[in-house]
Amino acid sequence: MASLMEHNDYDDNNGSSYPSLDNHEEDTNRDTQQDSNNMRALRHQSTDTTGYEVTVAEPEVRKGQLGTSYTAYSVMGSTPQKQTFATHRRFNDFRWLHEQLSKAYPGIFIPPLPPKKSVGRFEEDFISMRMELLHRFLTRVASSHLLSNTAAFQTFIQATEGALELAKKQEFKDTRIVVADVLDKYRHYFDRAIDNSLPHSFTEKFEAFKDYIKQMDFSLKALRESCSSVADAHKSVADALGKFALGLKELTDTEVRVGTRLDMVRASPRYDATAIFETLLGVASEAPDGNFSILSAMINMEIMDIEAMKLALQTREEVQQIAYKAADKVNELQSTLDKVKRGGKGSTFGTLFNRKEPSLEEREADVAKARGDETAARELLEVINKILFFKEFDQFRTQTMEEYKQTLQEFARTQNNDAQKVKTTCRWSHNTRSI
């Protein structure tokens, strides 16, 4: 049966051959401490759909064999059979797992990884943010029956660090993904979607979804820029408010110091407003960016999901190309077979070098095999189209809309709480009367 695609040796330095978020490194790593704090609030402790429980925590910087530093993350949890596991994984191990899943299951959404970063990757805030995103990735993989039942995932969560390195070099080296194997798994896990028939308008709707992804990507990145501008403005206000509070204090101190010398303090004291604005400063210091990091974290995660969906669509296109090439091969072999049957030579190259030509039976067998490969590739393409149309498209939009709604609710609650703090603490009406 035709090979879908072939695994390359995984290189920690070179990374994956598939698209990544690395080119968004600068944008997605802004305000890392606030982002990681807000992502931590969205953590999933368990994956009820499969029975797996996974946690990524306790990052620590280590020294490698060659003296280079890397960050290791603790990966802990339990299987549906309640067997516990605990090991350490570095970022490149997560990338390896993501690559295995992306290659093994073309055309479906594979949860995204955070972007790779070269400069500043050992900063505490960045490590904290990356840990939360790795936790999100692994939790989503573990919650999928399809992805959690792969050999790559089982090796990732249960093998020792040394055993994982050995597996990456041996067990998964030069592994060929066979179309028939992917078909069997998709039929088992997506049977409801596959039982449906694609509408005649599928091509139009497929192109419309690709355009939707493209436009959403553009809009989200523009919104991220606006969000960063608002957050920066809030930080500027917080900084200015701090300087203003200090200025008020200096004004009051000056009045007392100079007024004492003129014996005027008792006659006309200046109202000390320092406490009022120090209270405002305290509220602002709790969220110097105006809580817009909550929205920033949500936007970044949705952009990452869009990149993951782009990858699913790209691997679907690769399967389509495989089907086209399989059809071309059938035509080529059939044309040669027909020529031989008419009494011609099958290969000029074989004749020139006196190479033994295949028998008629062998040529017919080659054509039959090629037709089988073409049929399997086309069937896989149709199955992927059904999975995308009846499951992935709607699930992707539903999930992003729900996370968007929850994030806005959290943002509104936080803003309301801060407003109540200002109202209660500052007591403007009381201050007005006292002034």
Side-chain angles (χ1 to χ4, degrees), residues 84-147:
T84 60
F85 55 85
T87 186
H88 286 85
R89 297 287 181 253
R90 57 193 299 176
F91 180 66
N92 282 324
D93 297 332
F94 285 89
R95 285 174 66 91
W96 168 83
L97 174 60
H98 184 270
E99 181 175 298
Q100 300 303 312
L101 298 176
S102 298
K103 288 183 176 181
Y105 299 115
I108 68 169
F109 178 87
I110 305 295
L113 280 176
K116 188 175 180 179
K117 185 177 182 180
S118 300
V119 180
R121 68 181 186 275
F122 298 117
E123 295 175 0
E124 183 177 346
D125 292 347
F126 173 77
I127 291 176
S128 178
M129 182 198 70
R130 173 177 276 184
M131 179 188 70
E132 296 303 325
L133 291 174
L134 291 176
H135 175 86
R136 185 172 186 258
F137 160 73
L138 198 60
T139 299
R140 296 169 86 183
V141 171
S143 67
S144 165
H145 286 282
L146 175 66
L147 303 181

Side-chain angles (χ1 to χ4, degrees), residues 25-156:
E25 173 186 310
E26 180 179 352
D27 292 331
T28 56
N29 291 329
R30 295 188 64 177
D31 305 323
T32 53
Q33 182 59 59
Q34 289 294 330
D35 283 358
S36 63
N37 289 341
N38 288 294
M39 285 184 285
R40 189 175 295 112
L42 301 176
R43 266 185 177 245
H44 299 287
Q45 293 299 325
S46 63
T47 51
D48 297 332
T49 56
T50 61
Y52 279 98
E53 292 187 2
V54 293
T55 299
V56 179
E58 302 174 2
E60 60 177 272
V61 178
R62 297 179 173 181
K63 286 287 186 181
Q65 294 180 347
L66 300 178
T68 57
S69 298
Y70 67 93
T71 304
Y73 301 86
S74 175
V75 175
M76 303 171 290
S78 61
T79 68
Q81 295 75 33
K82 304 305 177 184
Q83 295 178 336
T84 60
F85 55 85
T87 186
H88 286 85
R89 297 287 181 253
R90 57 193 299 176
F91 180 66
N92 282 324
D93 297 332
F94 285 89
R95 285 174 66 91
W96 168 83
L97 174 60
H98 184 270
E99 181 175 298
Q100 300 303 312
L101 298 176
S102 298
K103 288 183 176 181
Y105 299 115
I108 68 169
F109 178 87
I110 305 295
L113 280 176
K116 188 175 180 179
K117 185 177 182 180
S118 300
V119 180
R121 68 181 186 275
F122 298 117
E123 295 175 0
E124 183 177 346
D125 292 347
F126 173 77
I127 291 176
S128 178
M129 182 198 70
R130 173 177 276 184
M131 179 188 70
E132 296 303 325
L133 291 174
L134 291 176
H135 175 86
R136 185 172 186 258
F137 160 73
L138 198 60
T139 299
R140 296 169 86 183
V141 171
S143 67
S144 165
H145 286 282
L146 175 66
L147 303 181
S148 63
N149 280 321
T150 58
F153 176 74
Q154 296 300 321
T155 300
F156 179 88

